[in-house]
Amino acid sequence: KLRKAETRFQPNRSWLEQDVSASKALTRIQEVLAAPSPYGLVKEVEGLIQTVEQINDALITQHRAMVLPEVDKQLNKIQVELDDAKADGDLRNRCLYPLQQLKKQVEAQTSLAHIAQAESRALDLADQAFAKLEEAVKPPGDGNVNDVTPPTKPYVKPRRVIKPSALAPDGYLETKADIDAYLDTLRGALEKVVAAGDRIEIR
């Protein structure tokens, strides 16, 4: 039983070892497993397992509580776009299903590493959903921002992601000149997107 418990907690060991009580219990589990005659230590088994189990479950709950809202945030963002575009059922399913499945996986997942990775995965899936949506419902006309022809159907304005940190120079901003140069770069990138008739998402 102790061997099965130790195997179960192994994927989360690095997180568990940051907790004093869990770390001590895990160390003791290893000592019991390595003991030449562990039978006299059996009375400790239930307490050790219970200690680590409670802390493990608490960490899983805590991580899920942080990640699930981020998955929901991406789901809601895509849902709004689909509603605005009056997307049909097939497109909705293709855009939403991967994120919905990810949410179910997080709700059932017991590996803290996998739960933590789900946040960035949700962002990737949202980007993929936006790409599907933009491809399925293209802007009217030839894409000219000055085209005043009324759209014949709902469409999604193309979205471009801007990461301000990626536009910053290496090292530090130490002078007013450094700040001005960075802000000029950032403004130029933002204005270029708007001039192309696209919209900006800041990350």
Side-chain angles (χ1 to χ4, degrees), residues 119-160:
E119 184 171 349
S120 61
R121 179 61 178 157
L123 198 57
D124 290 340
L125 290 175
D127 285 343
Q128 293 173 25
F130 267 109
K132 293 173 186 175
L133 181 56
E134 290 175 6
E135 177 62 26
V137 192
K138 293 182 179 179
D142 60 3
N144 185 342
V145 295
N146 296 316
D147 189 351
V148 295
T149 304
T152 58
K153 63 179 181 178
Y155 71 97
V156 174
K157 195 173 185 180
R159 176 193 61 122
R160 299 293 174 261

Side-chain angles (χ1 to χ4, degrees), residues 7-189:
T7 301
R8 175 193 166 195
F9 300 135
Q10 190 61 38
N12 298 335
R13 191 178 185 94
S14 60
W15 279 274
L16 289 166
E17 288 178 338
Q18 296 176 35
D19 182 276
V20 175
S21 297
S23 181
K24 288 181 179 179
L26 287 169
T27 299
R28 186 55 177 162
I29 286 174
Q30 291 291 331
E31 292 173 352
V32 173
L33 288 172
S37 300
Y39 302 106
L41 305 174
V42 171
K43 63 178 181 293
E44 295 184 47
V45 169
E46 289 297 336
L48 292 170
I49 293 176
Q50 185 177 32
T51 294
V52 182
E53 194 170 56
Q54 289 176 345
I55 297 170
N56 185 66
D57 290 347
L59 286 172
I60 290 171
T61 299
Q62 178 184 355
H63 278 66
R64 281 179 183 156
M66 291 188 294
V67 172
L68 283 173
E70 293 303 314
V71 178
D72 283 334
K73 177 181 176 181
Q74 301 306 321
L75 270 168
N76 293 336
K77 184 167 66 175
I78 299 301
Q79 185 67 63
V80 169
E81 297 293 322
L82 290 167
D83 290 344
D84 288 347
K86 294 181 172 56
D88 61 25
D90 176 66
L91 181 57
R92 287 177 183 275
N93 185 62
R94 288 192 289 117
C95 291
L96 295 173
Y97 183 75
L99 279 162
Q100 292 167 339
Q101 288 301 108
L102 178 65
K103 182 176 180 179
K104 289 181 179 179
Q105 291 167 11
V106 172
E107 291 171 340
Q109 183 60 255
T110 58
S111 166
L112 293 172
H114 289 158
I115 293 173
Q117 291 165 2
E119 184 171 349
S120 61
R121 179 61 178 157
L123 198 57
D124 290 340
L125 290 175
D127 285 343
Q128 293 173 25
F130 267 109
K132 293 173 186 175
L133 181 56
E134 290 175 6
E135 177 62 26
V137 192
K138 293 182 179 179
D142 60 3
N144 185 342
V145 295
N146 296 316
D147 189 351
V148 295
T149 304
T152 58
K153 63 179 181 178
Y155 71 97
V156 174
K157 195 173 185 180
R159 176 193 61 122
R160 299 293 174 261
V161 175
I162 295 293
K163 299 179 180 179
S165 61
L167 299 174
D170 294 334
Y172 302 95
L173 301 178
E174 299 187 60
T175 67
K176 185 176 181 300
D178 292 339
I179 295 172
D180 289 340
Y182 168 64
L183 292 178
D184 286 344
T185 300
L186 178 58
R187 175 179 288 277

